[in-house]
Amino acid sequence: MVFVYPGSFDPITNGHMDIIFRAVRICDKLIVAVGSNESKKPAFSTEERIELIRCALEGREDVVVTSFSGLLADFVKRVGAKTVIKGLRAMSDFEYELQMAHLNKNLEPDMETLFMMTNVNYSYLSSSAVKEIAKNGGKIDGLVPECIKDRIIEKLTCK
Ligand code: PNS
């Protein structure tokens, strides 16, 4: 079974990585799909976000990283998948994700959205928090994959 894990990944965090590693164990192929959330202006370009994810996943041949534009439901159908997986950190995520799941179901009745509870160690973590910490000179160790940490800091502090 092919799962699609969509998100802004601006940038990818260890919370996202945890979902990826757990999701690959329950599907045959995982497609990490970088999309755009109309309500957010990304700090990293789509290409940069893909590059950071690929770098963090180096050596993992069971995960494909790509991007999509337009509707997620159309992308999922185009790649021959039926299942979208999303991480849920807290109740605050739930309302938005529930709405998305229903809208996507309405657009593509064959598509299912599965929710995986984010590892409790990362329940407080978000890409926005990582950006705010990095921009203000704080440490992002342990919040993002080690191999992309410096690139994130460099980009956000314009070094
Ligand atoms: O990491 P995010 O911000 O939760 O990711 C959101 C994303 C990109 C997965 C979501 O905004 C999305 O699916 N965008 C594509 C447009 C779409 O299909 N929207 C749902 C119907 S309104």
Side-chain angles (χ1 to χ4, degrees):
M1 211 187 296
V2 182
F3 282 9
V4 173
Y5 179 33
S8 305
F9 305 111
D10 185 44
I12 191 155
T13 68
N14 281 341
H16 297 127
M17 295 295 289
D18 173 67
I19 298 288
I20 292 173
F21 294 142
R22 287 159 61 205
V24 288
R25 299 212 309 255
I26 56 167
C27 65
D28 302 307
K29 179 182 171 185
L30 181 69
I31 302 175
V32 177
V34 178
S36 36
N37 183 332
E38 292 292 319
S39 62
K40 298 179 194 165
K41 191 179 170 333
F44 294 85
S45 69
T46 305
E47 292 68 34
E48 287 171 325
R49 285 180 273 157
I50 290 178
E51 218 182 292
L52 290 175
I53 301 170
R54 287 201 178 130
C55 189
L57 286 170
E58 202 168 359
R60 299 283 311 217
E61 281 166 15
D62 44 358
V63 188
V64 172
V65 186
T66 188
S67 64
F68 72 101
S69 54
L71 293 174
L72 174 64
D74 292 339
F75 172 77
V76 169
K77 194 173 181 183
R78 205 161 57 240
V79 297
K82 286 194 184 337
T83 311
V84 161
I85 188 147
K86 299 215 78 179
L88 271 188
R89 285 167 299 190
M91 281 307 283
S92 49
D93 283 341
F94 183 73
E95 212 172 320
Y96 169 77
E97 293 299 347
L98 181 69
Q99 183 192 15
M100 285 295 148
H102 284 314
L103 285 168
N104 284 323
K105 190 80 181 158
N106 196 51
L107 287 164
E108 193 51 62
D110 265 359
M111 175 174 148
E112 299 297 343
T113 304
L114 299 185
F115 293 105
M116 193 174 253
M117 299 310 137
T118 299
N119 185 314
V120 73
N121 295 330
Y122 302 120
S123 58
Y124 58 89
L125 183 54
S126 67
S127 297
S128 316
V130 165
K131 284 182 281 191
E132 195 167 327
I133 295 169
K135 260 184 208 163
N136 291 290
K139 278 189 172 177
I140 55 170
D141 301 70
L143 305 184
V144 298
E146 187 58 29
C147 58
I148 62 171
K149 189 186 77 180
D150 290 344
R151 281 164 71 184
I152 293 171
I153 293 170
E154 216 169 279
K155 169 91 181 178
L156 296 171
T157 55
C158 301
K159 268 184 197 159

